[in-house]
Every structure is written in C-alpha cells, then in structure tokens.
Amino acid sequence: MLTRREALTLTGSALGAALLAPALPFRALAQGPVVDGLMQPGPLGDVWLGPDNARCTIIEYASMTCSHCAAFHKTTWPALKERWIDTGKVRFTLREFPLDPLATAAFMLARADNAARYYPITDMLFDQQQNWAFVPKPLDALEQMMRQAGFSKEKFEATLKDQTLYDAVNAVKEKGMTAFKVNATPTFFINGQKYQGEMTIEGMEKVIKPIVGA
C-alpha cells in the first residue's frame, strides 16, 4: 500500500490525498426506469463507438479497479463489440465511475491526449487489471503498464497532477450518482433503461434484439 507521503508526492494533492480512501461495494443486478438527461455528456465529453443513428444506445458506468467490470470486458465486451457495435446496430460509450482513487488515476491516463486512445488504454487496463490494481505498489505497476502505451515517466506524473482532468473525471462520477442514481459498477443504460451489475452477452442480447428488430 502507498504511504500518504508517496501518494501526495507521485500524484499531486487532490488525487494523492484521496488514494487511501475506501472503495464503494459492488451491488447485485437491478433495473430502473428510463432516465431523463442521460445523453448529455459530462465535461470530458463521451467517446462513442458505433454510428450516431444506431437504434440501440448503451452507456456503461464502470470503474477501472472493479473486478466485475474487468470480467464484463473480458467475457462479454468482445462479443458485444463484434456482433452489435461493429455491425452498426449499437452505439456504445464508457463513462467514468471510479470506485477508488486508483481507478480515478487510470481513467485520467486513459483521457490523456484528449482521449485519443481511450479504448485501447481502458481495454489494456481491464485486461491486465490483476497486474496493477491488486499489487503492493499499484502506482508503480500502473506506470510500468502505461509505458506500453508510450507514456514517459514525466507524462505519467504530469497527467496525474492535472487538477482539471481530475475534477472532470470526478464530475462524471458525481453526475452519475446524483442525476442517474448510479451506485455500483458496472451499471448499464440501454436506451435509457438501467441495468445494474455484470451482464452476460446472452443477457444483453435479450435487451438489444427487440430494440434493433433482430
């Protein structure tokens, strides 16, 4: 675990001071009503995959350190992308809902360079989650991981000290909590309908198919 001094030194005051904060718990699957205002993006904007005119829109709120999110991105995401997003039937975006400051740091890194590599970086970090999120020195491991994405030590540290970026990532989470009642990850909104908890491809397709007429 990081000491308070290490956290503050490596990441700057806002993120560093939060690095010892407890994570929120995962909660079981639930559904809710269609949510108004959901399509309005936060300060960072949304990074969409799939065409604007797709009949089905999926918004995922996730945390980079959530094991359920990583499991979804390992088992369900490849099929969802191949069958529905890449074929133009579904439009998808991933929104930040960090459950702990380490997840905030990971999202900040994914948002670097105006999110030019948002999905390659989030995919990599989900795939390798066990190798950086659950190790004795997670920030050191995260830095090593980001070197694969071309981050120098200077760029890594500068990104994590970016107060504007830090505030923006947390604003997405806060809006998710207050406006859309997101309280666990992953949470999905499929055409505005809320589905909370890890979903299988079969479960998602039961919702998607009637929407797209498949």
Side-chain angles (χ1 to χ4, degrees):
M1 296 292 294
L2 293 171
T3 65
R4 181 171 294 275
R5 176 177 294 180
E6 288 170 333
L8 290 170
T9 299
L10 284 173
T11 62
S13 58
L15 179 58
L19 273 166
L20 301 177
L24 295 175
F26 174 78
R27 300 189 181 184
L29 179 67
Q31 284 187 218
V34 173
V35 178
D36 292 332
L38 185 66
M39 298 305 294
Q40 182 180 359
L44 293 172
D46 287 321
V47 185
W48 288 99
L49 298 174
D52 293 349
N53 62 351
R55 289 186 178 182
C56 181
T57 297
I58 300 176
I59 297 172
E60 178 191 4
Y61 283 86
S63 175
M64 295 305 305
T65 55
C66 168
S67 59
H68 299 280
C69 298
F72 169 81
H73 280 268
K74 180 179 180 179
T75 61
T76 304
W77 170 247
L80 175 65
K81 186 174 185 298
E82 179 182 1
R83 298 178 192 177
W84 301 101
I85 299 171
D86 292 347
T87 57
K89 297 175 182 178
V90 168
R91 192 174 186 227
F92 173 92
T93 193
L94 172 67
R95 286 182 181 171
E96 296 87 350
F97 198 87
L99 295 182
D100 55 66
L102 186 60
T104 304
F107 274 127
M108 291 170 70
L109 294 163
R111 282 285 186 172
D113 302 323
N114 294 317
R117 294 177 291 170
Y118 187 64
Y119 288 108
I121 290 175
T122 54
D123 285 348
M124 177 185 71
L125 294 179
F126 275 133
D127 289 344
Q128 299 293 324
Q129 188 187 76
Q130 290 292 329
N131 296 328
W132 63 271
F134 305 110
V135 296
K137 295 183 178 181
L139 275 181
D140 288 348
L142 184 57
E143 181 182 350
Q144 291 295 323
M145 197 71 60
M146 292 307 298
R147 288 187 181 182
Q148 300 177 29
F151 277 64
S152 64
K153 180 178 180 65
E154 292 74 20
K155 182 175 181 178
F156 178 85
E157 293 184 356
T159 300
L160 296 189
K161 290 178 181 177
D162 186 333
Q163 185 69 40
T164 300
L165 183 57
Y166 173 83
D167 291 342
V169 168
N170 281 293
V172 175
K173 176 184 177 180
E174 289 299 319
K175 184 177 181 180
M177 292 176 64
T178 57
F180 312 133
K181 308 305 179 185
V182 178
N183 60 11
T185 57
T187 293
F188 303 92
F189 290 90
I190 305 178
N191 276 26
Q193 188 79 21
K194 183 179 178 182
Y195 299 84
Q196 189 167 288
E198 184 183 336
M199 296 181 74
T200 64
I201 186 60
E202 293 80 12
M204 296 202 93
E205 287 180 336
K206 286 181 181 179
V207 183
I208 293 170
K209 287 181 178 180
I211 294 173
V212 302

